[in-house]
Amino acid sequence: MANPHLHFKTNYAVSSKIEPFYKGGKVQISKDENYIFCTCGSRINVLEISTGKIVHSVEHDDQEDITSFALSSDDELLVTASRALLLKQWDWRQAQCTRSWRAIHTAPVASMDFDSTSTLLATGGCDGTIKIWDVVKQYCTHNLRGSSGVVHLVQFHPDISRLKLFSSSMDCSIWMWDLSTSLCVCMLQSHYSAVTSLSFSPDGDTMISSGRDKICTVWDLKQQNAKRAIPVYEAVEGVIFLPENQDFSQIGVKNPKLHFVTAGSKGILRVWDPNTARCVFSQTLGTVSVKKDDEEGEEEEKKDDNPRSLTHLLLLPASSRLATVTAEHNITLYQLAGLTTLQQFVGYNDEVLDVKFLGKDDSHIVVATNSCQLKVFELLTNSCQILYGHTDTVLSLDVFRKGSLFASCAKDRSVCVWQMDSGHVRCVARGTSHTNAVGCISCSRMKASFVASGSLDCTVKVWDLPADLTAAEESIQQLTLRTTEKAHDKDVNSVAVSPNDKLLASASQDRTAKLWSLAGEGNLGLLGVFRGHRRGVWTVCFSPVDQVLATSSADGTTKLWSLQDFSCLKTFEGHDASVLKVIFVSRGTQLLTSGSDGLVKLWTIKTNECVKTLDAHQDKVWGLHGNRRDNRMVTGSADSNITVWEDVTEMEVAEEQAKQEEQILKQQELSNLLQEKKYLKALGLAISLDQPHTVLTVIKAIRQTEDSSELLEKTVLKLRVDQKEALLRYCGVWNTNAKNCQDAQVVLQVLLTHVPPEELLQYQGARTHLEGLVPYTERHMQRIGRLLQASMFLNYMWQKMRVVGEPSSMDQDEEMDTSPLVQPFFTIDKDRGDVENREGEDRDSGQDEDPSSPLEDEEEEDADVSTTRRVSARIQSKEGGKTNGRHPSVSEESSEEEDMDEEEEEEAGKAAKRLSASSTLSQTIAS
């Protein structure tokens, strides 16, 4: 089965991704017309128009949704507003927040706009107020009240010398504010529904407004009254004046007077002459490949949720372009002269149900996204062509061998065949004969002669393609039904045509897969049934070289079957949930499977082993397809993401192995340097590996030597500046762990002692690292302080227990240690039995105690009973459990215990002394 000279695939790397970048809300284009700014939940994504890639993204730390944003006229400042009533100013190119302040609004900000000087920012709130902010001097300049309800539109007059601001709220009026007096100059009343957009003439004396009341009104700003109300017969969401001194004859502009463009619920752009109130040009929907009857089209226009309706209209004057945003979050760029489509970007894909490579050299992919439209993406630019043909959700796709022809099936019970010519895709044939949703489709493999489909009506149909698909450019031909077969007892989930076009396999929810003959004329001939899955079978696939068949099932397994005797050859188990798709790769020697667990697994058939698990999706992976050259694959998931994967070549594998071998050699060299006690070279090598744990190993090795302090100081100070910067960064990492904090502190002591503060602060990120060290250092100081106090208290209790009942043979000259303490310690209050913190006092009066006298106060004994029991148990464990009356007898082992306590106390004192060196951190930061 396997070719011994074939190299198995071992890994795939992500080549590119198509992810959601716009989920509704405001859209703005930069002044240089290179970027599109879009809201996407709690983020603002910046899309580069030339490449279609997301190049920048800013996000609020609190994960609150962004309600509005505004980009300054000079493209330098980006200000966002969130539901937390917080305004943030961003350096969007670096994705850094430069300033944040609380909005004075009592409800979220609904609209924002910058003036032409990029100095003033207007915010309209859901509380009915408008605030004007000076973003340079950073204060609120105006607080405008009077509007009722949500202020959903604020816009400065383009001529800043006029100091006018226009706003609109739920009262459907347009308020004109004079910023010099903070008063409303007038209320422009003409609309009976929400005002959606405003546009100003080049001279600034004329304004046009649009509304959802299907009216556009032209205003004379000098006279402050309406010149004309123009009925446009659709809810208008965007309106703009056409630029002056340009040729727009292609779109019906015959005179140099002002004309305007509208975009609204019909989903088309229309050009109007305000003087005659006539529409001089109406755009045709060139992306619609399957035209509907007039009655059906009129019914769709009457719908409020028309997916083609336009929600935004933007002008790009420098490049003479227009941009529109649809209700389905698609952004389209048009050439202004003829309103022809230039580019289209899909801001949000719903669940991806299927995806296939398309075109020459797999330059495109076609995607079914839980909608009635198909999307064809150009991988180089992410530009998308949207195909209209089905009237319900598209469920499955398949591509013919040449790659320019593909087929689709949908819930509308139809099968469509599409052809791509020079990047443009249109529907060329259609078939409708199923009585229920068509869930799967497969194309002939040898030549484009037929397609097979499977449906929820439990039947499998074979359709013959027309002889000449290019006979009529605009008309759609009909597919010829060759045969229909009642194939299964439940829904048909998958069909597949064999590489020689002689066999057909089908898989069903009835837990079986079947093999059919396509060689004869007429009906399908049943050849055999594959039984063995415990749940419904999702996918069936023929091997490209062997007489075997692969199936995947909802029982979490993938099975390999023999076409000779229909027996199960192998079973692959590894997914935690349903296996949704399976394909052959590496000339039939390996399998790729995708599941509802979001994973893609690579299997080697000969060893029955999963060699790689790819985790790139968060939900069911419905789409899985490999290209013809077998070096790429594409996956589509219910998480709305599409991922293109590249097969990792042998060269890349060799490079990775070389890197690993280099790491091993460096580790060995490091070990040799430590053995030879060449600590400076070892430390430099460890820093070059950029592994904090490896550097820590070298530091620990230095500290274990004699004269470790002097050696460490000498080694650290000989490092280069960049190495010291790395060492300072590592100290912040080590200091977070109590086990490694002393190593961090000794290195930090050397740096703080010998490097001047002004030089230290010049280190890259020094201030941030030092600020991060302070809280952990304080925590370690507190811990060491508690340890010292506990050790003193334990020593005190030990002395008390030693002297009570001590034999007369005890050395009378032996006294308790009464040396003063540097750190605070605890003693027992004889009156209350609680612990006090006394500082600078001796722990006893200095007088010798009577070894035979009992404790003076029973209350003190009661207070210490738990501690005494613990210490007594510790001593008993040392002496084998021997006791003398109430008190344990003193032995040599108890003396050793005393020595050990003194050593612990001494070690704690040393640790406190080392940590005390970090007290200069705050002073260094302050300086």
Side-chain angles (χ1 to χ4, degrees), residues 651-668:
M651 183 180 298
E652 291 172 326
V653 173
E655 290 177 357
E656 186 65 26
Q657 291 177 350
K659 290 180 181 179
Q660 294 177 358
E661 291 175 358
E662 184 180 0
Q663 291 285 340
I664 294 173
L665 291 175
K666 286 186 176 181
Q667 293 286 350
Q668 184 62 44

Side-chain angles (χ1 to χ4, degrees), residues 333-553:
L333 296 177
Y334 297 95
Q335 186 64 45
L336 190 55
L339 294 184
T340 54
T341 304
L342 297 176
Q343 288 176 283
Q344 187 160 268
F345 304 105
V346 176
Y348 178 75
N349 288 313
D350 204 344
E351 294 186 18
V352 178
L353 302 183
D354 206 356
V355 58
K356 293 288 189 292
F357 281 108
L358 184 67
K360 184 179 180 181
D361 298 326
D362 306 311
S363 58
H364 295 68
I365 57 172
V366 55
V367 187
T369 59
N370 198 26
S371 68
C372 58
Q373 297 91 30
L374 287 171
K375 298 181 175 70
V376 178
F377 289 90
E378 184 181 8
L379 292 177
L380 185 62
T381 63
N382 276 5
S383 183
C384 177
Q385 181 181 351
I386 299 178
L387 309 179
Y388 297 89
H390 291 285
T391 58
D392 207 339
T393 304
V394 180
L395 298 176
S396 184
L397 302 165
D398 197 20
V399 181
F400 287 91
R401 182 177 180 181
K402 290 185 178 180
S404 60
L405 201 67
F406 66 95
S408 63
C409 60
K411 284 185 179 180
D412 61 2
R413 308 174 187 178
S414 69
V415 174
C416 290
V417 178
W418 308 79
Q419 187 174 39
M420 184 171 72
D421 185 13
S422 301
H424 177 72
V425 183
R426 68 181 188 93
C427 183
V428 294
R430 188 176 185 182
T432 55
S433 180
H434 282 285
T435 60
N436 208 330
V438 187
C440 53
I441 195 165
S442 181
C443 300
S444 56
R445 315 271 36 118
M446 298 291 290
K447 62 178 182 178
S449 58
F450 67 89
V451 294
S453 60
S455 170
L456 273 65
D457 60 12
C458 306
T459 66
V460 172
K461 293 179 182 290
V462 180
W463 310 79
D464 286 324
L465 268 63
D468 187 7
L469 292 173
T470 61
E473 286 293 332
E474 298 297 332
S475 63
I476 299 174
Q477 304 184 58
Q478 291 295 317
L479 296 173
T480 304
L481 181 61
R482 180 195 299 182
T483 182
T484 300
E485 184 71 31
K486 173 69 166 61
H488 292 273
D489 297 329
K490 292 185 179 180
D491 303 350
V492 180
N493 292 330
S494 176
V495 291
V497 177
S498 64
N500 60 3
D501 287 348
K502 294 183 178 180
L503 300 175
L504 176 70
S506 62
S508 170
Q509 204 65 26
D510 63 7
R511 308 179 186 179
T512 67
K514 295 184 178 181
L515 185 66
W516 308 84
S517 172
L518 281 171
E521 296 292 335
N523 295 334
L524 294 172
L526 180 63
L527 299 178
V529 181
F530 305 96
R531 293 186 174 89
H533 285 293
R534 300 185 301 274
R535 299 188 66 181
V537 185
W538 280 115
T539 312
V540 62
C541 181
F542 282 98
S543 169
V545 293
D546 297 311
Q547 294 187 6
V548 293
L549 187 78
T551 59
S552 64
S553 168

